[in-house]
Amino acid sequence: MLQLVAVVGAGAAGLCAARHILSRPGSFAPPVVFELGDSVGGTWRYDERVGTLPDGRPVLSSMYRDLRTNLPKEVMMFPDFPFDPQLSSFLPHQEVQAYLERYCENFQLRPHIRFSTVVGNVRPVVTATEGEERKVTWEVTSSDLSGRQKTESFDSVLVCSGHYSDPHLPHVPGIENFKGKVLHSHSYRFAEPFSGQTVVVLGAKSSGLDISIELAKAGAKVILSHRDRPLKFPLHPAIQQSSSVVAVEDNGSICLQDGSLCDADVLMFCTGYNFKYPFLDAAQLGLDVQDHMVSPLYRFMVPPAFPKLFFIGICKIICPFPNFNCQVQFALAVLDGSVTLPPREQMEEEVRQEQQEKLQRGVQHRHLLKMDQSQWEYCDVLARSADFPPLLPVVRSLYEEVWRQRQIHPENYRRNNYRIVSSTEWELID
Ligand SMILES: Cc1cc2nc3c(=O)[nH]c(=O)nc-3n(C[C@H](O)[C@H](O)[C@H](O)COP(=O)(O)OP(=O)(O)OC[C@H]3O[C@@H](n4cnc5c(N)ncnc54)[C@H](O)[C@@H]3O)c2cc1C
Ligand SMILES: *[C@@H]1O[C@H](CO)[C@@H](O)[C@H](O)[C@H]1NC(C)=O
């Protein structure tokens, strides 16, 4: 019997899921991909609007107008689908969107996507007890633009709904006293309106740093406030680093960790995003969903209590598309029976041990889903256990090189162009 899989979301992860499901017609029926937007691409579908749309739905994409990728296309690509070789290595977001549309056409995914359809509920239903093995099917309730609801039954669900849409806003005591504008990078689109203003940017991760550079170039004065060690590389002269924001005084002045005060026109939170799955009942699934954490997930994908539900793309600090590609292939190998998961208790125990070990190494709880160095071993393990080709060593090598360059030349590293010369080597081209 062919299995019917529901895919929630038609961003990069959902498209990748659909592509691999369709390539296994012996095991899977064509998937049903639910997408609340009217096109594919998710994050990469730039929308100049912010806030709430006329139909009442929030704008989900956090893409800004002048964003260029922070990974070169040579490693950013899905391993089985290159970008146009004519393009430079670091791309404007439009090129990534075009790439994902091409991916969708090439693998003929579009007929399987239901656009403008929002998944409102995903629920496991225990249908029978055959001996000791319980049988779980999945009820997916969705609604289209007219509000018409539909509930359908699936054998499994791949959750590919992304996690860069719900802004994380840390509490700043007294923020109601701030007289200027408060916004989150989720609602930032371009820098011109900030010209001549003083902007306190909170957070110096990729968005915080990138947006600070855009603002500085557009003539804003930027106070880059963060709690990491001071950045060592040369920054634009209009960017000044400061310690973290601790409060806003009664008169609207901003109070910093080091005791100093500053005044600003804008507070821009580049403080990341929350995980949010409004269509899942976490408790029922045995999951704990917090702002920065979803747990327990075996191999960062599977709730041990419900091993036919998979989260794709939940890890942070990864090479996203290649990572999704590995996760999807592993998930399908589990579903088609070629990989057997350990029993529930063992999965729970493995997750617990892994988390324990990280916490003992000093990793903060909120960073438990950050992969960084461990992403390569992770993908290798998935590839070995599910018997698909591992990521080539050159992907890691170039990713790490670019990461180094970004630390040294945050403004200019995107000028480099690279070429892959073998499975282990890349070269820099003029
Ligand atoms: C500002 C920014 C810059 C980035 N830069 C890079 C980069 O340079 N290189 C890189 O590789 N990665 C980058 N990323 C990471 C990026 O998130 C991934 O590349 C990738 O786009 C994530 O894909 P996804 O499918 O997991 O999620 P998304 O792209 O968010 O797609 C999720 C989809 O699910 C849909 N959806 C959500 N909920 C529902 C629902 N209930 N019902 C139906 N549909 C639903 C959404 O509409 C959306 O289309 C960046 C991210 C951001 C935010
Ligand atoms: C706001 O109040 C603080 C004392 O709490 C003071 O040092 C600062 O100068 C004041 N700022 C303005 C703009 O008046």
Side-chain angles (χ1 to χ4, degrees), residues 249 251 253 261 263:
E249 303 279 292
N251 62 6
S253 288
L261 289 170
D263 290 297

Side-chain angles (χ1 to χ4, degrees), residues 56-185:
R57 289 181 190 166
V59 172
L60 293 185
S61 175
S62 304
M63 195 50 58
Y64 38 96
R65 188 191 65 197
D66 297 337
L67 178 132
R68 284 175 73 203
T69 58
N70 56 15
L71 291 173
K73 70 179 200 300
E74 290 73 20
V75 304
M76 188 170 154
M77 65 183 224
F78 287 114
D80 56 359
F81 194 71
F83 279 86
D84 179 347
Q86 308 291 325
L87 298 170
S88 56
S89 283
F90 294 91
L91 303 171
H93 58 79
Q94 291 87 343
E95 293 293 352
V96 181
Q97 174 65 13
Y99 168 85
L100 291 174
E101 282 167 8
R102 215 158 46 77
Y103 185 88
C104 183
E105 296 317 317
N106 184 70
F107 295 110
Q108 298 179 26
L109 310 179
R110 196 168 289 274
H112 310 288
I113 306 173
R114 282 197 218 149
F115 291 104
S116 304
T117 305
V118 53
V119 170
N121 193 248
V122 170
R123 185 173 82 90
V125 181
V126 181
T127 46
T129 322
E130 301 162 357
E132 280 186 26
E133 216 186 321
R134 62 175 191 162
K135 184 151 176 5
V136 177
T137 56
W138 293 88
E139 273 187 2
V140 175
T141 304
S142 60
S143 52
D144 62 18
L145 277 180
S146 69
R148 215 179 2 238
Q149 275 199 3
K150 199 161 159 185
T151 298
E152 293 153 287
S153 190
F154 294 88
D155 297 303
S156 57
V157 179
L158 303 188
V159 176
C160 304
S161 54
H163 52 90
Y164 294 113
S165 293
D166 189 54
H168 179 71
L169 286 166
H171 176 64
V172 175
I175 189 137
E176 63 282 359
N177 301 322
F178 184 66
K179 302 202 173 65
K181 185 173 170 167
V182 177
L183 80 165
H184 186 277
S185 53

